[in-house]
Amino acid sequence: AQSVAQPEDQVNVAEGNPLTVKCTYSVSGNPYLFWYVQYPNRGLQFLLKYITGDNLVKGSYGFEAEFNKSQTSFHLKKPSALVSDSALYFCAVVGSGGSSNTGKLIFGQGTTLQVKP
Amino acid sequence: GAVVSQHPSRVICKSGTSVKIECRSLDFQATTMFWYRQFPKQSLMLMATSNEGSKATYEQGVEKDKFLINHASLTLSTLTVTSAHPEDSSFYICSARVGNSRSSYEQYFGPGTRLTVT
């Protein structure tokens, strides 16, 4: 079965420090991976995606993610966290097979990022 | 670009009534729209996938007669919660997909609708 796991419910970092939000996936075939951010009572905002090509993907607001096929991971990173980065982050994947025809996303359970001043 | 709007942002209704939520893609044509439900501090639960001009595909466990989805045009999809009950209270989010190619798999999300059934 296709799935996405975000092993940490919450990540706490100090402002200015690097941050990592972890994501691992399980799909058949080549994965198409995404990161989204959600602020309270808002919809999701697209941050970045990996379809093919370079394993290091750069996205919005200074975020980047590294695709690691051998470890089936797609961790979200930022070199220097801001208090305004505090939000709920979702990793998602579109697998191959039937779901790829509609582009149905499979979401992880979400990780709350708390950046303290 | 790729802006999705939802209306209303918040609605309170009485038990037994029906509520319609609109999802519009403002600056693009959406071949596929998705409807999600989200409980507090939880992930998104896909309810249904909607393609313009055809019947929506519902996920397992979602009552199609209760959650009516209409995708009448390439820029508008509606979700109607019929005979709403307090347990239907939730945050409903729609999203739209820009194209059909694998390079366009990202979905653009609306701001969500908070439904409270009293």
Side-chain angles (χ1 to χ4, degrees), chain B residues 94-116:
Chain B
C94 73
S95 70
R97 189 181 158 198
V98 176
N100 284 322
S101 69
R102 290 174 181 267
S103 64
S104 63
Y105 271 143
E106 65 264 33
Q107 294 176 23
Y108 294 92
F109 287 80
T113 296
R114 174 74 59 192
L115 171 62
T116 303

Side-chain angles (χ1 to χ4, degrees), chain A residues 36 38 41 49 100 104 108, chain B residues 38 43 103 105-107 114:
Chain A
Y36 287 87
Q38 184 180 32
N41 296 310
K49 67 179 178 183
S100 68
K104 186 165 74 173
Chain B
Q38 186 181 31
S43 188
S103 64
Y105 271 143
E106 65 264 33
Q107 294 176 23
R114 174 74 59 192

Side-chain angles (χ1 to χ4, degrees), chain B residues 25-66:
Chain B
S25 56
L26 297 185
D27 50 2
F28 65 99
Q29 292 185 329
T31 53
T32 306
M33 287 185 169
F34 302 85
W35 285 95
Y36 296 86
R37 185 173 178 176
Q38 186 181 31
F39 293 101
K41 299 186 179 180
Q42 292 190 24
S43 188
L44 279 71
M45 182 192 80
L46 179 65
M47 299 175 67
T49 302
S50 169
N51 290 295
E52 184 265 339
S54 61
K55 290 184 179 180
T57 302
Y58 289 81
E59 294 299 301
Q60 193 172 7
V62 178
E63 298 176 60
K64 60 181 67 177
D65 293 332
K66 180 167 185 62

Side-chain angles (χ1 to χ4, degrees), chain A residues 4-11 19-25 35 72-77 89-91 108-111:
Chain A
V4 176
Q6 293 179 241
E8 303 152 315
D9 288 337
Q10 181 157 328
V11 170
L19 69 87
T20 299
V21 182
K22 295 180 180 178
C23 171
T24 58
Y25 65 89
W35 274 102
T72 62
S73 67
F74 190 56
H75 301 331
L76 182 69
K77 300 182 180 184
Y89 290 80
F90 290 101
C91 180
Q109 59 268 47
T111 298

